[in-house]
Amino acid sequence: MTITRLDDVEESLRAADPATRAAAVTALTAAVRAGDAPRGAGDTLAWALADEDGDVRGRAAHALRRLPELYIGEDGIGALRLAAARGRDGLVRDTAAELLAVLSRGAGELYAQGLQDDEPNIRIQAVLGLVALGAVPEVADAADDPSREVRVAVAEGLARLSGPAALTALEHLLGDHDPVVRMAALDAAAELGVPGPLEGRVVTSTAHASWQVRRRAVRALGRARADVAVQPLVRALGDRIVDVRRAAVRALEQWAADRPEVVTALTESLTDPDPGVRTQVRWALA
């Protein structure tokens, strides 16, 4: 099999015949060794670790082990993570774990250096790379970056990570002096379901001077535990900004059926001066 386009290889890797898929892996490996492989070859081999056939998986694993210089992009890293966690056999899991460790060390050092660059755009790309690698400590360190845009990238990235260090960094960003960063951190907290360590900061943000921050905080509380969210959301029904009040009604609606205090607060909001709020309240109580 001669490699001309990566699409041809991927089509062969979808063939029903395992021998055809194995031949495609072998041909792609040979092309990589000869320097003729198309861009994306590393990602394709990484995904071949998930093949149903043991021979195909084995060929892909051996190729990845013997071609340490092979470029593997973000898509391939995702495949390696999947293989390391849920690979069909020990060879696949071990190969994926070893490659991830190598990539993390090499790329992590490179991205960490990028965090020291004078250009904010370079530092943003470094944060994105570190998030892709799951490098929580390095991402967390960038939470104090002088650039607002970098701190926003950190907040958005932390929504994809986990662990105490990530939550500590996100808690820090929830108190950022810049409202834009704070809103990004609130969105991240909402994506994570407002974990316990972040609850206090999210509640505090419902009293922020910026109404945009208050609205984001109210939206985030819609993803939090009722015991934490209900009281601050009830207070938000009296916010001077209509958009905040509307967000509070939407957040409270989920508890209108089983929390008497929510029903009471929403009923009182039927007299809100804004007709849109009154309409939302009627829907919530219906």
Side-chain angles (χ1 to χ4, degrees), residues 17-79:
D17 179 21
T20 300
R21 302 199 301 273
V25 171
T26 298
L28 184 58
T29 303
V32 171
R33 288 200 180 102
D36 297 327
R39 184 176 177 81
D43 293 352
T44 298
L45 286 171
W47 279 110
L49 292 173
D51 196 277
E52 294 180 356
D53 184 76
D55 183 40
V56 177
R57 297 195 304 271
R59 293 184 188 213
H62 288 301
L64 289 165
R65 282 175 177 266
R66 295 169 184 171
L67 299 168
E69 73 284 356
L70 185 63
Y71 173 78
I72 298 177
E74 186 172 355
D75 186 50
I77 289 173

Side-chain angles (χ1 to χ4, degrees), residues 73-273:
E74 186 172 355
D75 186 50
I77 289 173
L80 291 176
R81 284 181 175 165
L82 186 64
R86 292 185 283 173
R88 294 172 181 266
D89 55 63
L91 175 61
V92 165
R93 293 190 295 273
D94 291 346
T95 298
E98 289 171 13
L99 283 171
L100 284 171
V102 170
L103 288 168
S104 295
R105 284 195 300 272
E109 291 173 3
L110 181 63
Y111 290 137
Q113 291 174 8
L115 289 177
Q116 308 307 315
D117 196 277
D118 292 335
E119 290 294 328
N121 286 338
I122 299 298
R123 300 202 300 277
I124 289 172
Q125 293 304 311
V127 168
L128 296 177
L130 290 166
V131 169
L133 291 173
V136 175
E138 290 80 1
V139 175
D141 285 344
D144 285 319
D145 193 279
S147 167
R148 173 176 76 181
E149 289 73 18
V150 175
R151 299 199 306 280
V152 166
V154 171
E156 293 173 347
L158 289 171
R160 298 170 51 189
L161 302 174
S162 60
L167 291 180
T168 298
L170 192 52
E171 182 183 10
H172 174 70
L173 291 171
L174 283 168
D176 196 277
H177 68 277
D178 191 304
V180 174
V181 177
R182 202 153 177 169
M183 286 189 285
L186 285 165
D187 288 345
E191 286 188 48
L192 294 171
V194 191
L198 307 182
E199 292 172 342
R201 289 282 195 180
V202 174
V203 170
T204 300
S205 294
T206 61
H208 194 272
S210 165
W211 70 266
Q212 292 96 333
V213 171
R214 297 200 303 276
R215 181 178 62 179
R216 268 337 205 289
V218 165
R219 288 178 177 175
L221 284 176
R223 301 289 304 277
R225 294 183 299 113
D227 290 344
V228 171
V230 166
Q231 287 307 313
L233 288 175
V234 167
R235 288 193 296 270
L237 290 173
D239 196 278
R240 67 183 184 277
I241 300 298
V242 65
D243 285 348
V244 177
R245 301 200 301 275
R246 289 177 179 175
V249 173
R250 286 193 293 270
L252 284 167
E253 182 178 358
Q254 63 188 302
W255 295 300
D258 53 9
R259 303 282 297 213
E261 67 271 36
V262 172
V263 174
T264 300
L266 289 175
T267 301
E268 292 173 354
S269 290
L270 286 170
T271 61
D272 191 280

